[in-house]
Structure formats: C-alpha cells, structure tokens
Amino acid sequence: MKIDLTETTSSKINAALVQARRDIGTPAIGMVLTLVIVTDEENAYDALKSANDASHEHPSRIIVVIKRASRSPRSRRDARLDAEVRVGADAGTGETVVLRLHGELVNHAQSVVLPLLLPDAPVVVWWPDGAPPNLAGDPLGALGQRRISDTYASENPQQALGERAAAYAPGDTDLSWTRITPWRSMLAAALDQQSLKVASVVVEGEDENPSCELLAMWLADRLQVPVRRTASDGPGLTSVRLETKDGDIVLDRADGSLATLCMPGQPDRAVALKRRDTAELLAEELRRLDPDNTFEAALKFGVSKLAAEAPAAAARAEVAPTDSPETVTGPKADAAPAKPAAKPSKKASAK
C-alpha cells in the first residue's frame, strides 16, 4: 500500500502509518529499529532497494530523507514537506516513509524525522553518498546510535578517511570497512594455522580504493610490521601477501569471486571470497549496534602513518618517478625522507 501526502506534517504522517497498518490487518509493530537514509533523488532508489532487502533480516521502519534543491530565492524561503508512506508488500518486512524536504525545511530535517522514530528502538543513520565530515556532529547523525557512511562514494577516499579519523565518535562505521570482513577473517584464520612471525605485508588492489587502505591499516596496527600498498587493475582488493622467513602466506583474488590461499608446507586451496552487494553489507552492519573498537584503532593508526609518509613519498617521486605508486604504513613509515643530492660546486662545473 502506498499513500502520497503533499504539504504535510509529521503528525499526519504518523496518522497515515497507523491507518495503513489497520487497513492491511497488521496493527501491531514488529520492527526492531529505525533506519534513517540521507540521500538525494539520484541515489534514493538504489539505497531504498538495498534497505528493503536488508529488512528481511532486520525488520525496521525506513525513513528516507531527500533534501530538494530550491531553484529560486522565493522557493528557498518557503518550507514544504511531501511524503510517501509505504506498508505491506511495498515496504519489505517493515514500513517505509520517503520524505522530500523543500525550502527552509532542508536545514531542519531532524525536527521532521524525530517524531517518526520508533519508540524505545535503536536508530541507525546511513549516508549512501555525500556523508558529512563529522557524522556524530550532524543534526541527523546525532539521532543515531550507529552511523554508517561509505568512503568508496567519495571523490577523494583518502581525504574522507582522514576526516572520519579526525571526527570519529563511538558508533561510526563505514561500508568500506565492512567489505573487508571476509578478508580479515580469512587472514586471521591463516595466521592461526601457522606459527610464523610476519616480517612485512603487501596489500594489492585498485588505486583510490578505501577498503584496500583500511585493510593495510588494520594489518599494520595488529601485526606492527611495515605494510606496503600497491596498485592493481582490480576489481577491488586483489591480493594480500604476508612475508615470513619460511615462506609467504598469500591470499590472491584476481576475478572478484574465487580466491586462492597459499601457505608454506600446505597445498594451495580455493576459497569463496565474492564481492558482496550493498544489501549484504548493510545487513551485516545492522547486526551490531555497539561501537566497533577495531575499526577505530585501524582508522586512527593508519591515517597518522599515511600523513607522516606523504612528504617522503613526494620527495621520492621527484628523484625517481614511477608508474606504480605505493603507500607504506607501519613502523617504517616514520622514517625521515632521504636528503636531496648536493648541487655541484662552481669549480667542478668549470672543469
């Protein structure tokens, strides 16, 4: 069932939800959380589809907040709220409210969303794209116990990771981190089977892919060894090499679905490591609503090392340019850059 409301209010939307549940014969509320999606018209369809798919595992009230751009000064002054209420088969296993905010109301979205939250239920805020630098400081983000962004959708993922680290608050997370959960599980299991000390690590993947950066940060933080980041054609993460004196532990995924795990003294084995869609990633994040301390440690450790390495990388590029840029994290990342060669003296030039 779909109900369209124009120039409405939050109280009228709540009344429409109650009436719609009665009309379809389900007056009871069986939802476990409220998911607030902050997006635009271009990305609203895909985000809502992913949320509906994830609601089969986590029945929820989905509130989509779309801030409409005003074209004239007069329309920017006029505040208007249009809504679309969906229940039953049109809303997955819960309820959906699509809010379109116009004019001055765009700057006060939290006042519209607050009356629509489920009572005594957790609130999760998700930005599929265009997340603010400070998630917890955003008026809508402040409503949630859990705040989900996706730095993969940013124009500059490395800069976005730095902003996330600088403004991190308990409850913040990122889908780029969720994408590497199978990789982290597989690598941890491989190290549990081998009593080998890792000397260094190489992480290979697409350039400007924040998941690759986060995996490198996590390995550098947990293993306390140098981690080198190299670029490949993808898709996504393609390879991780843990270098030891007795041989390398390699997890290689060239096609984006099936990976090969190689360990010293053991035969190579094929492991399923497919790239997951957004609905699966979102469902994983909704399983836990407590702060992710591992994500916090990896994010803050990696960003500080990348920032320390930037001047050295620039100096090396001037001396010997290369077609495959690398980023190093870990203990060796704090090494001072090499001194530039001294200029020849005037006497030597005359000779």
Side-chain angles (χ1 to χ4, degrees), residues 196 200 240-251 262-264:
L196 301 175
S200 60
V240 176
R241 181 183 299 273
L242 309 178
E243 299 172 343
T244 74
K245 64 178 182 179
D246 296 323
D248 297 345
I249 300 173
V250 181
L251 183 59
C262 308
M263 293 190 291

Side-chain angles (χ1 to χ4, degrees), residues 145-215:
Q145 288 78 38
R146 191 79 163 168
R147 295 166 294 276
I148 305 172
S149 60
D150 190 357
T151 52
Y152 187 76
S154 304
E155 292 185 7
N156 190 333
Q158 271 199 4
Q159 179 181 344
L161 288 176
E163 293 172 347
R164 297 288 176 274
Y168 178 85
D172 292 356
T173 190
D174 197 276
L175 293 187
S176 295
W177 172 255
T178 318
R179 290 184 180 95
I180 62 174
T181 299
W183 286 82
R184 294 191 295 121
S185 301
M186 196 69 64
L187 293 170
L191 289 175
D192 285 342
Q193 300 175 38
Q194 299 282 337
S195 57
L196 301 175
K197 181 174 178 58
V198 179
S200 60
V201 179
V202 179
V203 176
E204 182 181 89
E206 286 178 328
D207 196 18
E208 298 294 331
N209 188 314
S211 294
C212 302
E213 306 295 343
L214 284 169
L215 184 61

Side-chain angles (χ1 to χ4, degrees), residues 211-247:
S211 294
C212 302
E213 306 295 343
L214 284 169
L215 184 61
M217 296 170 187
W218 174 71
L219 288 168
D221 176 50
R222 306 305 295 177
L223 299 176
Q224 291 296 300
V225 298
V227 178
R228 187 167 72 256
R229 166 79 166 88
T230 63
S232 72
D233 294 333
L237 265 165
T238 53
S239 176
V240 176
R241 181 183 299 273
L242 309 178
E243 299 172 343
T244 74
K245 64 178 182 179
D246 296 323

Side-chain angles (χ1 to χ4, degrees), residues 6 8 40 53 70 111 121 150 159 200 232 240 254 263 282 304 306 341:
T6 57
T8 187
D40 53 19
D53 292 341
S70 300
S111 63
D150 190 357
Q159 179 181 344
S200 60
S232 72
V240 176
M263 293 190 291
L282 186 60
S304 63
L306 288 174

